[in-house]
Amino acid sequence: MAEPSHNAGRNQAPRAREIIVTADGPLLVSGPVEIVMPDGRRVKSDRPVTALCVCKRSRRQPFCDTSHRCRVHADEIVQEEDRAQQTPAATG
Amino acid sequence: MLSRHPPRPVEPPALPEPRGPLSSAVLDALRRGPVILAVPDDTDPYGDDLQLALYCCYELHYRGFAGVPDEREWDPTLLTARAAMERLFLGALRADVPGSPDDDDVDAELAALLVEPVDVQGVSHHLRRDGELWQMREYVALRSLYHLKEADPQAFVIARLDGPAKAALVSIEHDEYGAGDPDRMHARLFADMMDALELSSAYGHYLDAAPAAVLAEVNLMSMCGLHRALRGALVGQFATVELTSSPGSDRLVKALRRLDAPEAAIEFYAEHVEADAVHEQLVRRGVITPMLAAEPGLARDVVFGIRASVLLADRLSTLLLDSWDASHSALRLPLPDAPALVGTTP
């Protein structure tokens, strides 16, 4: 998460920006980042880590909104029938 | 980064009204000083009396109460009573969560949180589809007991973690605290939403209105945050919130838009759709995986923390939906725009 310019004055190679490719969801990019959209619009994210949508299902492009998650009918959740997620315990 | 607004004076909230013999005794001890408090074993662990008494004990570690000396935080008689209440509450949770206490498959537990059921009837589903404004306001008023101190209970666990798990948890907490911008603190965004919905954003304002099911959720966070022995459960609780929050927040954004709420009322949940999509990834990869690699023995308590959070969330969900289904307030002290109590027998 270090800014590449941080180490410029020291005798070290700048640390490459880390991008994590998740198996099940978004690309995780160490921020802050500015994303250029297909129409030329620039979108900024100041977060320490930004989750970029790659499944194209997010309604908040270019960011992940967890729309990649498996959507199932309650009667399909056999083992979890006692604890099907009804509402967030809160927001984090 | 500096706030664009002048700082608000710190004003501790007023003590609440008692709800039974135990909370009455605790409130007396808070006002007058040390007394030996009895906590009968047959006290309902989820009831109003115990949950309020416990909530007041924990609040000394956050903002305190007007008229209560700050030193009361470490009063041994209050701590003894608190420990007795915690034994009852924790014992009930351990007995009531599904599965076996030996279950330690954290991945399976997290996977269950990551499927999105499409046909359940949760609070956010109801509010999105056909909730009314007074119900939305009730929901926000009740959630204020946590969100006006959002991320504070989890901050207690920082000192109990080490290495990568600590660094990742702090980076999530940093985001919760606005990443250096006081106007973007989640607690600040929540207060802005309360103001926009014409609710009081004063800290602790809705304590008397909050039923035990609301207090129990906050008490679980405080208990797990304040006890190093429960650090695994705290991380499980934190993960549950971060994993389930994003889709629910999206439904609440839609609910607020459908109800024509002002833009200032929408920002809090809109921020959480994106922020928690990131936090979900960080809490799984950055916190839980390295924490369990360093301390594998914590897996059972992570599972317990997830299950206890889900259990209490479901109890609150049932209470809210049952009340609203019967067209009456879920608050102990209804807001002025709630429907008048009709059809209830005295």
Side-chain angles (χ1 to χ4, degrees):
Chain A
M1 283 174 216
E3 276 294 291
S5 58
H6 259 341
N7 294 326
R10 304 178 213 159
N11 226 353
Q12 289 172 322
R15 191 167 152 186
R17 189 179 296 281
E18 181 181 71
I19 298 178
I20 299 171
V21 185
T22 68
D24 50 347
L27 285 182
L28 304 179
V29 185
S30 301
V33 290
E34 188 167 287
I35 302 121
V36 185
M37 301 299 287
D39 60 2
R41 191 166 52 97
R42 300 178 89 85
V43 186
K44 284 185 183 173
S45 167
D46 298 330
R47 297 181 195 286
V49 177
T50 296
L52 291 178
C53 172
V54 285
C55 75
K56 301 290 178 195
R57 271 181 272 179
S58 172
R59 283 153 292 178
R60 290 167 184 271
Q61 296 292 343
F63 305 115
C64 171
D65 71 351
T66 71
S67 290
H68 58 272
R69 288 187 187 176
C70 286
R71 302 175 79 79
V72 292
H73 290 273
D75 55 10
E76 293 172 58
I77 313 174
V78 180
Q79 288 175 319
E80 272 77 47
E81 64 183 31
D82 291 336
R83 28 184 314 267
Q85 280 307 288
Q86 298 211 332
T87 190
T91 36
Chain B
M1 213 175 295
L2 297 178
S3 175
R4 291 180 294 279
H5 307 288
R8 297 180 170 198
V10 173
E11 284 167 6
L15 281 170
E17 292 297 316
R19 300 186 191 180
L22 181 56
S23 52
S24 185
V26 165
L27 289 165
D28 277 346
L30 289 172
R31 282 194 197 93
R32 298 194 190 106
V35 280
I36 302 300
L37 296 165
V39 180
D41 281 343
D42 60 354
T43 310
D44 176 1
Y46 302 113
D48 271 304
D49 196 22
L50 182 139
Q51 290 297 331
L52 179 68
L54 191 52
Y55 188 93
C56 291
C57 288
Y58 287 144
E59 200 49 45
L60 302 179
H61 300 286
Y62 298 104
R63 311 285 180 91
F65 290 103
V68 177
D70 290 347
E71 292 73 21
R72 216 67 105 219
E73 180 183 3
W74 297 104
D75 181 310
T77 61
L78 278 167
L79 292 176
T80 305
R82 196 187 88 184
M85 290 186 264
E86 287 170 334
R87 265 196 301 279
L88 291 174
F89 183 37
L90 187 58
L93 288 171
R94 290 217 188 262
D96 293 343
V97 292
S100 152
D102 293 329
D103 290 348
D104 60 359
D105 189 344
V106 173
D107 287 340
E109 216 61 28
L110 293 173
L113 295 179
L114 287 172
V115 294
E116 188 54 31
V118 292
D119 46 6
V120 293
Q121 296 298 315
V123 171
S124 60
H125 300 82
H126 165 75
L127 289 172
R128 181 185 72 164
R129 199 177 50 247
D130 47 21
E132 297 179 40
L133 184 59
W134 68 269
Q135 295 169 340
M136 188 77 218
R137 293 176 77 241
E138 289 204 342
Y139 182 75
V140 171
L142 292 177
R143 285 290 187 216
S144 70
L145 274 296
Y146 169 60
H147 286 303
L148 291 180
K149 58 173 177 256
E150 182 163 342
D152 289 347
Q154 293 80 18
F156 287 126
V157 88
I158 294 169
R160 283 91 193 254
L161 299 176
D162 190 31
K166 175 183 257 175
L169 188 122
V170 169
S171 96
I172 300 171
E173 290 279 279
H174 179 60
D175 216 24
E176 306 279 358
Y177 291 130
D181 180 353
D183 294 335
R184 297 291 303 167
M185 288 180 70
H186 290 181
R188 176 71 252 161
L189 296 178
F190 195 86
D192 291 343
M193 171 169 64
M194 296 187 85
D195 293 339
L197 292 174
E198 295 176 3
L199 294 163
S200 168
S201 61
Y203 185 92
H205 182 84
Y206 292 103
L207 178 52
D208 278 325
V214 171
L215 304 182
E217 281 200 317
V218 187
N219 284 340
L220 174 68
M221 301 179 202
S222 299
M223 178 168 69
C224 295
L226 287 165
H227 288 267
R228 182 175 166 272
L230 291 172
R231 64 196 180 282
L234 188 282
V235 169
Q237 182 278 324
F238 193 39
T240 307
V241 169
E242 300 297 346
L243 267 62
T244 57
S245 153
S246 201
S249 296
D250 187 53
R251 286 188 284 274
L252 293 170
V253 168
K254 292 184 171 120
L256 288 159
R257 290 205 192 284
R258 188 176 59 73
L259 294 167
D260 288 327
E263 209 52 33
I266 291 166
E267 182 53 25
F268 175 82
Y269 286 114
E271 157 67 11
H272 279 78
V273 178
E274 278 170 30
D276 290 345
V278 179
H279 295 176
E280 169 211 322
Q281 302 288 341
L282 289 179
V283 77
R284 284 161 64 207
R285 288 156 210 280
V287 181
I288 293 179
T289 303
M291 183 186 79
L292 292 180
E295 292 192 272
L298 294 180
R300 279 181 203 157
D301 259 2
V302 175
V303 171
F304 167 70
I306 295 170
R307 291 177 177 174
S309 303
V310 171
L311 177 88
L312 294 178
D314 285 350
R315 288 175 71 103
L316 176 58
S317 176
T318 302
L319 174 86
L320 293 175
L321 293 175
D322 285 355
S323 302
W324 294 343
D325 202 37
S327 291
H328 64 72
S329 171
L331 273 57
R332 300 175 82 254
L333 301 171
L335 300 169
D337 62 336
L341 276 180
V342 284
T344 51
T345 45

